[in-house]
Amino acid sequence: MFSHDGSQAAHCVLAQNPENIELARFYCFTQKTISKRLVLRQDPSVKRTVCKKCCALLIPGVTSTVRQKRGPRRQRKTIVRCLSCGLTKRFPNNPKHKLWVDQPEAQLENQTSRDAGPSSKSTTQEEKNDIGSMSTIAKTSSTAQTNLIKPS
């Protein structure tokens, strides 16, 4: 998948020299803008490693801090704080929690095809009249076009 390329380059840059935060940020920003232009969805694992505000790569202990916190009703949360801009992200730490991408309903092959068209039995009389009037309009417009094309 394309969406990992920018973060992989940013990881390589920071692995070689941890002070190259600006170059890693540039790679993450470029990845984000290209995926927006091509209307691609980034994988949630990639989105969680990039700061939404400053596009910095979030590496625990280097560019971010990670804390575990208990919220109301004993729900645990993972809190990731960007050291560049201070933005915090909160993620539920529920083992039963599944992302939408990981659920079977999200997969394209598991969805029923609703666009196949209505069956002849379920078509109402109104829909039949609409379809009939559309075909009549199409016939008259094609006849009018051929009359315009014919030499007189």
Side-chain angles (χ1 to χ4, degrees), residues 1-11 27-36 38-50 57:
M1 184 183 212
F2 163 75
S3 61
H4 290 288
D5 294 343
S7 60
Q8 282 180 347
H11 273 287
Y27 286 140
C28 290
F29 178 75
T30 305
Q31 167 195 341
K32 187 177 178 181
T33 54
I34 289 173
S35 65
K36 277 185 182 178
L38 297 176
V39 194
L40 295 174
R41 289 187 178 203
Q42 292 182 340
D43 195 62
S45 63
V46 174
K47 288 167 71 173
R48 286 182 175 199
T49 59
V50 177
L57 188 65

Side-chain angles (χ1 to χ4, degrees), residues 6-129:
S7 60
Q8 282 180 347
H11 273 287
C12 290
V13 165
L14 286 178
Q16 289 176 355
N17 186 1
E19 295 176 7
N20 275 342
I21 294 172
E22 291 299 319
L23 184 58
R25 182 178 288 150
F26 169 75
Y27 286 140
C28 290
F29 178 75
T30 305
Q31 167 195 341
K32 187 177 178 181
T33 54
I34 289 173
S35 65
K36 277 185 182 178
R37 282 186 189 163
L38 297 176
V39 194
L40 295 174
R41 289 187 178 203
Q42 292 182 340
D43 195 62
S45 63
V46 174
K47 288 167 71 173
R48 286 182 175 199
T49 59
V50 177
C51 179
K52 230 177 176 177
K53 188 174 179 183
C54 68
C55 293
L57 188 65
L58 299 175
I59 299 175
V62 180
T63 58
S64 69
T65 58
V66 179
R67 301 279 184 256
Q68 297 290 324
K69 190 175 181 181
R70 282 193 184 188
R73 291 175 267 137
R74 298 179 56 89
Q75 292 177 342
R76 292 189 203 144
K77 294 180 183 177
T78 302
I79 300 174
V80 180
R81 185 172 184 267
C82 177
L83 295 176
S84 299
C85 66
L87 183 80
T88 58
K89 290 183 169 190
R90 291 173 181 83
F91 302 110
N93 229 5
N94 184 1
K96 296 178 184 176
H97 178 75
K98 278 190 174 181
L99 296 173
W100 169 252
V101 176
D102 298 333
Q103 293 179 3
E105 300 92 38
Q107 304 303 322
L108 202 57
E109 60 267 4
N110 292 341
Q111 293 180 356
T112 59
S113 77
R114 292 180 219 147
D115 299 331
S119 66
S120 59
K121 291 180 183 177
S122 65
T123 306
T124 63
Q125 188 61 36
E126 259 182 50
E127 289 173 343
K128 287 180 183 176
N129 290 340

